[in-house]
Amino acid sequence: MSLTQRFPVGPEVPVTELVSRLQSEPDGGRLKVGDPRIVEFLTKFARKLLAPAVARRYPELASLGFFLRKGEIQKALSGLSDTGDALRFPRGLVFHVPPANVDTIFVYSWALSALAGNHNVVRVSSRSAGAAEEVLAALNAALSEVDSETARVITQTQRMITYDRSDEISGALSLAADLRVIWGGDGSVKALRQYPLAPHARDLTFPDRSSFAVVSVAGWQAASEAERRGAAEGFYNDSYWFDQAACSSPRAIFWVGDADAAASAGVEFRRLLGEVLAAKQHVTEPAMAVQKRVSAYGAAVDGLVTSMTFDGNAVATLELTEPAALPREWLGAGTFASASVRTLSDLVPIVVRKDQTVSQFGFGREELVEFATELAGRGVDRIVPFGSALSFSAVWDGYDLLAEFSRLVSVPV
Amino acid sequence: MTVFTLSQAEREATLLPQLAELTAHHRANSPGYDRILSSLGIARDAEFGSIAELPWLPVRMFKTHDLKSVPDDEVFKTLTSSGTTGSGASRIYLDKEAAGAQTRQLGATLQTVLGGERLPMLMVDTVGIIKNRRSFSARGAGVLGMANFGRKHVYVLDEHDKPDVEAVKGFLERHGDQPFLIFGFTFMVWLYLYEVARDNGLDLSNGILIHSGGWKKLIDRSVDNDEFRRRFREDTGLHQIYNYYGMIEQIGTVFLEGPSGGSLYCPDFADVVIRDPETWAEQPVGKPGVIEVVSTLPRSYPGHVLLTEDLGVYNGIDDGDWPGKHFSVLGRLPKAEARGCSDTFSGQAA
């Protein structure tokens, strides 16, 4: 059973051979945390992603390019400096299994792990689409623009591969890994967990998550027309970029404050969102429109909603019978459950471990810190302003990824 | 005897009060259905000005939820369909009365083209499809439902799904000089009956073919309805060909192709609305849209007004072989797929 080497491009190889190559010592010395050879390669690669032609075609790759600029990389690494008696080292060989349908996650996962000095093997989906192909082309092009010594060490330690479903390959890579990183939700985690790891190794898993939005009614009232429009625009990006199916995209909006004021704010927000959708020339495919009706009517049958409003095919608003009825599954692009609560504290009892991102508008930092403190780890890993729900960061799902990708050696003297 | 008699104006006048009464009946007896309409802001005493104003349910609701308007102890038969792969099965609940009505009305509809006699019947399928009476595929249910309209059944395929030419020849020797009934799913009729009849020079000119089941597999072979009819007529003599459109969620209601071909007609207890997928308003003749099927038969479950996931177009109103609207089915809506973090193809993860 052979696998295809997509980066660096190479001939088909059996998995055993690939593993033994990736486990050998690289020329020019072992990789270190924040290894300058990796940094050099990443910044060359980032420049390719930021090229206007690429960024125009795939805006999500421009975000990735920004994330990998030299300044950003240094900032991320600065949080990792050796402290006191502890020295930080790479974990070894990391096996990444990204989701098939978000084309860029595998790059973030890989880049941070490489920055931590690991040897990496990334399984890229054979169903990968445009953006992923563009990424692989940029990686391969960047390889010919770094000096030969850097190119050689990258080639010896980093691999992106494609293979069809195979117990043999997934099994061998799992057994060889010092850390296995599984994205793509519960199904992927369950599928990969069949393959044993070495006794010292462990999994870093990213299971199914769901997210919701909160708006301060007082904050909304205090906001200018331009700020409100900005909120609608940010909310559009958060929700519609990935058909609302990204785990960070909000599936419900809670209006926090006076109920009557919340109702009129909600009406205004929907109007502004409609204007954004019109300006972006958003199209809802008929099949998606039907999907949304099926989900919405289903929620009604289940007794979760008191009323449903369809503003064209683009926005469906489902008024919840109670905040606790918030849906955590995907209902179709542009389907938002809505409810009003007096305070953020009212949301605390309904939060579960699965809840990942709270996107917020109109709250002050203090209120949000208080909310996070009150949640006390029940759930919610990030609270971000409208418009930032989809921005990836080096801290994800509650993990400081660079720390997860490295280990400490303590030398108390 | 025909059930294709009502002009569009007569149909509106006759069916609208019945359908409004059905809507009220389902609201009173199906809490889930009532919750949908209430959430949409439709008052319990709402008046509807036309059939097109009646609230529709997406047909897929019957795959995701149990909706019925009869108490559990009156459910006489539960129909399940696999439908398209991976989308779960529809569950349709019939009480005795509804089960009787659907059989009766299907019979009345088909009598329009078959006459009152039960005819010798050629089944373009394998007898295996109905062998296991406990778990039917949708195809098996269709075959079994149709078998009642014929007698002396002969199956065109043997147990290995190979055409049994001798069996077909034997059938034609016995019955081929009198009217006989042929039933099958469109692609099977094409693959197994047309080719066998053509290659063996069989004479099907006394046959009446009833077929259904979509053109997708045939479009790939560049055979459309016109081509299908033309080649059958030229190569086998078969000229009485009736395609029909129906679904398990409105069991008993079939929209039948008229004698001149190319257009489907509504029986007198049913209607069709083609809707613009952007605005959901009714489309004019000639503009494609999503097909909504309407029937007075579903009384034991709220399936009287259903938005399908098929695309269609009105070919005309009150200007065809039979009165009322007549239309064509153009294909299916593509499946809504989302790009998300969760890999919906988790089976591929290994």
Side-chain angles (χ1 to χ4, degrees):
Chain A
M1 186 80 187
S2 285
L3 39 83
T4 313
Q5 305 188 81
R6 311 285 301 275
F7 164 74
V9 174
E12 299 236 327
V13 286
V15 66
T16 44
E17 192 177 321
L18 180 78
V19 166
S20 75
R21 277 189 216 168
L22 286 172
Q23 285 179 327
S24 19
E25 292 279 320
D27 299 343
R30 288 177 75 92
L31 293 176
K32 296 193 286 290
V33 175
D35 197 293
R37 294 167 291 179
I38 298 285
V39 174
E40 188 203 347
F41 179 76
L42 286 179
T43 44
K44 279 276 192 304
F45 166 58
R47 229 167 280 163
K48 299 244 170 271
L49 299 179
L50 290 166
V54 177
R56 252 200 311 277
R57 264 202 308 274
Y58 303 106
E60 66 261 46
L61 294 189
S63 314
L64 178 62
F66 279 116
F67 182 82
L68 294 174
R69 281 177 316 174
K70 209 165 194 150
E72 296 294 315
I73 288 176
Q74 298 303 355
K75 211 163 41 188
L77 288 170
S78 65
L80 272 190
S81 45
D82 301 338
T83 47
D85 295 335
L87 308 171
R88 199 174 276 280
F89 294 97
R91 281 191 173 270
L93 177 61
V94 182
F95 174 31
H96 303 257
V97 186
N101 46 358
V102 176
D103 303 332
T104 49
I105 288 263
F106 75 94
V107 197
Y108 287 103
S109 187
W110 163 77
L112 288 166
S113 179
L115 265 183
N118 293 301
H119 296 205
N120 292 289
V121 58
V122 184
R123 182 186 182 185
V124 180
S125 165
S126 48
R127 291 182 294 120
S128 61
E133 297 300 313
E134 193 76 50
V135 162
L136 291 165
L139 283 165
N140 284 303
L143 203 56
S144 58
E145 290 182 19
V146 290
D147 64 66
S148 61
E149 196 189 327
T150 303
R152 192 161 59 244
V153 86
I154 297 283
T155 306
Q156 286 170 330
T157 60
Q158 310 299 321
R159 260 324 166 282
M160 303 213 175
I161 59 172
T162 298
Y163 59 92
D164 290 322
R165 199 187 163 144
S166 158
D167 287 342
E168 186 206 345
I169 299 177
S170 294
L173 294 174
S174 295
L175 202 54
D178 297 287
L179 176 71
R180 183 169 57 185
V181 184
I182 309 172
W183 302 82
D186 296 359
S188 299
V189 174
K190 199 162 165 256
L192 267 297
R193 285 244 171 108
Q194 315 170 64
Y195 307 110
L197 294 168
H200 71 276
R202 64 184 183 80
D203 278 326
L204 182 59
T205 60
F206 296 92
D208 289 340
R209 309 302 304 275
S210 80
S211 299
F212 60 85
V214 293
V215 184
S216 160
V217 175
W220 180 265
Q221 288 170 325
S224 68
E225 178 69 17
E227 286 167 331
R228 293 177 189 184
R229 201 182 305 278
E233 182 131 356
F235 186 83
Y236 164 86
N237 293 339
D238 290 346
S239 306
Y240 286 85
W241 260 27
F242 286 103
D243 287 337
Q244 217 188 331
C247 44
S248 320
S249 295
R251 290 183 185 162
I253 310 181
F254 293 108
W255 295 86
V256 184
D258 174 73
D260 293 341
S264 56
V267 170
E268 190 192 5
F269 177 73
R270 282 212 302 278
R271 178 177 61 77
L272 290 168
L273 181 60
E275 285 171 15
V276 174
L277 286 156
K280 304 264 182 198
Q281 300 181 328
H282 176 82
V283 176
T284 307
E285 295 296 331
M288 186 64 82
V290 171
Q291 165 68 39
K292 290 168 72 169
R293 294 274 176 163
V294 172
S295 303
Y297 289 17
V301 174
D302 294 337
L304 305 177
V305 308
T306 54
S307 77
M308 315 184 248
T309 316
F310 295 89
D311 299 319
N313 283 339
V315 187
T317 307
L318 315 182
E319 290 297 336
L320 294 172
T321 48
E322 51 169 357
L326 85 153
R328 288 187 167 90
E329 70 281 12
W330 179 75
L331 299 178
T335 309
F336 306 101
S338 168
S340 104
V341 292
R342 306 280 323 159
T343 65
L344 283 174
S345 302
D346 295 345
L347 294 173
V348 170
I350 68 166
V351 165
V352 297
R353 181 71 183 82
K354 190 177 177 176
D355 295 326
Q356 182 211 54
T357 300
V358 172
S359 28
Q360 62 84 25
F361 177 79
F363 290 95
R365 181 175 163 77
E366 234 166 84
E367 291 173 282
L368 297 170
V369 168
E370 197 178 318
F371 177 48
T373 309
E374 224 183 319
L375 285 169
R378 262 185 194 80
V380 178
D381 299 315
R382 42 200 296 264
I383 303 176
V384 299
F386 273 25
S388 301
L390 300 177
S391 308
F392 192 82
S393 100
V395 175
W396 195 256
D397 272 15
Y399 295 114
D400 177 346
L401 293 177
L402 278 170
E404 296 292 329
F405 290 145
S406 54
R407 45 189 206 92
L408 295 171
V409 173
S410 50
V411 190
V413 180
Chain B
M1 162 71 199
T2 168
V3 290
F4 293 90
T5 65
L6 295 177
S7 71
Q8 202 50 40
E10 291 166 334
R11 198 174 295 261
E12 278 281 346
T14 310
L15 296 188
L16 183 58
Q18 294 179 45
L19 292 162
E21 185 278 325
L22 263 179
T23 302
H25 160 80
H26 290 309
R27 284 193 87 157
N29 293 284
S30 168
Y33 179 74
D34 183 49
R35 283 198 286 265
I36 294 171
L37 268 52
S38 300
S39 304
L40 289 168
I42 299 167
R44 278 176 171 254
D45 57 358
E47 307 246 323
F48 304 102
S50 68
I51 289 174
E53 279 180 36
L54 293 161
W56 43 261
L57 291 194
V59 71
R60 217 183 327 141
M61 295 301 304
F62 294 94
K63 286 187 167 60
T64 59
H65 289 78
D66 276 334
L67 291 165
K68 58 180 186 306
S69 308
V70 288
D72 287 347
D73 60 357
E74 285 178 31
V75 173
F76 166 69
K77 207 193 242 174
T78 305
L79 303 169
T80 53
S81 82
S82 54
T84 41
T85 40
S87 54
S90 283
R91 291 177 305 279
I92 302 299
Y93 297 92
L94 301 176
D95 59 3
K96 267 213 160 65
E97 197 185 338
Q102 67 94 3
T103 312
R104 222 172 22 252
Q105 295 294 19
L106 177 61
T109 305
L110 293 176
Q111 269 191 20
T112 304
V113 297
L114 298 179
E117 298 271 312
R118 286 215 295 171
L119 301 173
M121 186 167 188
L122 203 50
M123 303 286 241
V124 189
D125 214 314
T126 164
V127 73
I129 201 84
I130 56 164
K131 273 261 167 68
N132 182 355
R133 297 223 164 198
R134 260 193 305 231
S135 82
F136 279 140
S137 62
R139 215 172 92 197
V143 168
L144 197 71
M146 278 289 172
N148 294 329
F149 298 104
R151 60 188 171 90
K152 301 199 170 163
H153 308 85
V154 166
Y155 285 81
V156 172
L157 299 181
D158 65 18
E159 60 272 29
H160 308 297
D161 287 352
K162 292 272 180 300
D164 185 344
V165 183
E166 290 314 308
V168 179
K169 280 183 175 164
F171 177 90
L172 291 174
E173 276 162 23
R174 292 191 298 278
H175 308 292
D177 58 349
Q178 294 287 318
F180 61 93
L181 170 58
I182 310 171
F183 171 74
F185 290 92
T186 306
F187 77 98
M188 296 186 67
V189 169
W190 185 253
L191 287 186
Y192 301 118
L193 182 67
Y194 168 75
E195 290 183 5
V196 167
R198 182 196 58 195
D199 297 346
N200 291 279
L202 303 180
D203 174 12
L204 303 178
S205 54
N206 279 321
I208 304 169
L209 169 65
I210 307 273
H211 70 108
S212 177
W215 293 93
K216 195 172 164 300
K217 291 181 178 154
L218 291 188
I219 297 293
D220 301 340
R221 300 170 172 255
S222 41
V223 175
D224 61 7
N225 196 29
D226 289 347
E227 180 73 358
F228 183 95
R229 297 174 69 90
R230 188 180 64 79
R231 297 208 4 217
F232 255 117
R233 194 175 50 244
E234 287 176 7
D235 298 339
T236 73
L238 181 68
H239 56 279
Q240 296 182 78
I241 298 178
Y242 297 96
N243 185 19
Y244 74 86
Y245 172 67
M247 62 206 65
I248 197 158
E249 294 84 356
Q250 245 179 34
I251 184 94
T253 305
V254 298
F255 297 86
L256 194 64
E257 191 174 18
S260 62
S263 219
L264 299 159
Y265 292 80
C266 312
D268 288 345
F269 50 88
D271 201 8
V272 62
V273 180
I274 306 286
R275 293 194 179 274
D276 177 340
E278 288 291 322
T279 63
W280 303 109
E282 187 170 10
Q283 292 283 46
V285 171
K287 281 202 82 170
V290 183
I291 301 173
E292 173 190 311
V293 288
V294 179
S295 167
T296 59
L297 293 189
R299 194 164 183 88
S300 57
Y301 63 99
H304 56 311
V305 188
L306 296 177
L307 188 83
T308 71
E309 296 188 21
D310 296 312
L311 294 167
V313 62
Y314 294 141
N315 296 319
I317 301 174
D318 291 335
D319 60 357
D321 296 346
W322 296 322
K325 295 171 178 173
H326 55 107
F327 65 104
S328 289
V329 179
L330 303 172
R332 282 192 73 73
L333 280 179
K335 200 171 167 291
E337 294 232 2
R339 302 198 302 165
C341 300
S342 303
D343 209 329
T344 42
F345 305 86
S346 51
Q348 295 290 317

